[in-house]
Amino acid sequence: MGIFDGLTRNTKKTFVNDNKLEKGLSEILVKDVMSKQLIIAQSSTTVYQISKMMEQGIGSVFVKKDSIPIGIITDRDFAIKIMANKYPPDTPVGNVASMPLQTIGPNESILNAAKQMSSKKIRKIAVVENDKVIGIITSTDLTNQLSLIKNKIP
C-alpha cells in the first residue's frame, strides 16, 4: 500500500458523501425549513427603535415602505453599517437597511438558498410567494438541516 492510497480512498469516500449531502439538500424545500414569524417595520422607524426590538432577541426586521417590503435590517447591519458609520439613533431604518430585498420562492430547494446566500454574501433571505413575503430562511436554518442530513449519511 502506497503512501497516498489512504488519502485517495478517503477522498473518494468524501466525494460520495458530498454527493449524498448535496442530494439531501436539494430535496428539502425552503417552505419546510423557513420561519413564518416575521417582524416588519415601516422605513421611517428609527434605528434606535429597531435596536430595542433586537434587544429582545430578534435577529432581523423586514423594512417596508407603505405596504411593500423593500429591505431588511439585521443585527449584523448594526455592527457593519450603523456603528461603523456612527449613524445617530434617530436615523430612519429605511436609510440603512439592506436593499433590495433578496428573495427566494418557497418551493426552491435549500441547496439553492445556500448557493444564493453564498453568492450574495448574506445570511438571511426573504421567502416570497405571489409578491408577498411569507417567511424567512437563515444560514442557521441551513446549518441545522445540514447537520441532520450529515448525521444520516453512513
Side-chain angles (χ1 to χ4, degrees):
M1 180 152 122
I3 190 166
F4 295 108
D5 290 341
L7 178 63
T8 304
R9 193 171 347 106
N10 288 341
T11 301
K12 288 178 184 175
K13 184 177 180 184
T14 300
F15 180 73
V16 169
N17 285 347
D18 286 349
N19 284 341
K20 288 180 181 178
L21 187 59
E22 189 168 326
K23 185 176 186 301
L25 291 172
S26 67
E27 292 173 348
I28 300 171
L29 300 180
V30 167
K31 67 182 176 184
D32 297 326
V33 177
M34 71 181 192
S35 172
K36 295 177 184 173
Q37 294 180 327
L38 306 175
I39 308 297
I40 303 171
Q42 286 291 338
S43 60
S44 59
T45 306
T46 67
V47 294
Y48 176 76
Q49 291 169 310
I50 298 293
S51 72
K52 294 314 259 179
M53 290 181 202
M54 290 186 173
E55 268 186 342
Q56 306 303 313
I58 295 168
S60 61
V61 177
F62 287 108
V63 178
K64 69 179 182 175
K65 186 169 187 170
D66 302 320
S67 62
I68 301 168
I70 58 168
I72 189 170
I73 185 93
T74 67
D75 47 5
R76 188 168 183 251
D77 289 330
F78 273 85
I80 293 174
K81 292 181 183 175
I82 297 168
M83 295 307 294
N85 292 305
K86 299 181 181 175
Y87 284 104
D90 61 348
T91 302
V93 71
N95 292 1
V96 295
S98 296
M99 294 184 261
L101 188 60
Q102 298 299 311
T103 65
I104 193 164
N107 294 313
E108 297 265 353
S109 73
I110 63 171
L111 179 61
N112 287 345
K115 287 177 179 179
Q116 186 174 342
M117 284 183 196
S118 178
S119 70
K120 302 281 185 179
K121 294 179 176 50
I122 58 175
R123 295 186 174 121
K124 299 171 186 345
I125 302 178
V127 182
V128 174
E129 187 172 52
N130 300 322
D131 296 325
K132 183 179 178 190
V133 177
I134 61 167
I136 187 169
I137 187 164
T138 69
S139 56
T140 301
D141 297 328
L142 298 179
T143 302
N144 290 341
Q145 289 302 310
L146 179 64
S147 177
L148 291 172
I149 293 168
K150 199 147 175 77
N151 288 336
K152 292 179 183 177
I153 296 175

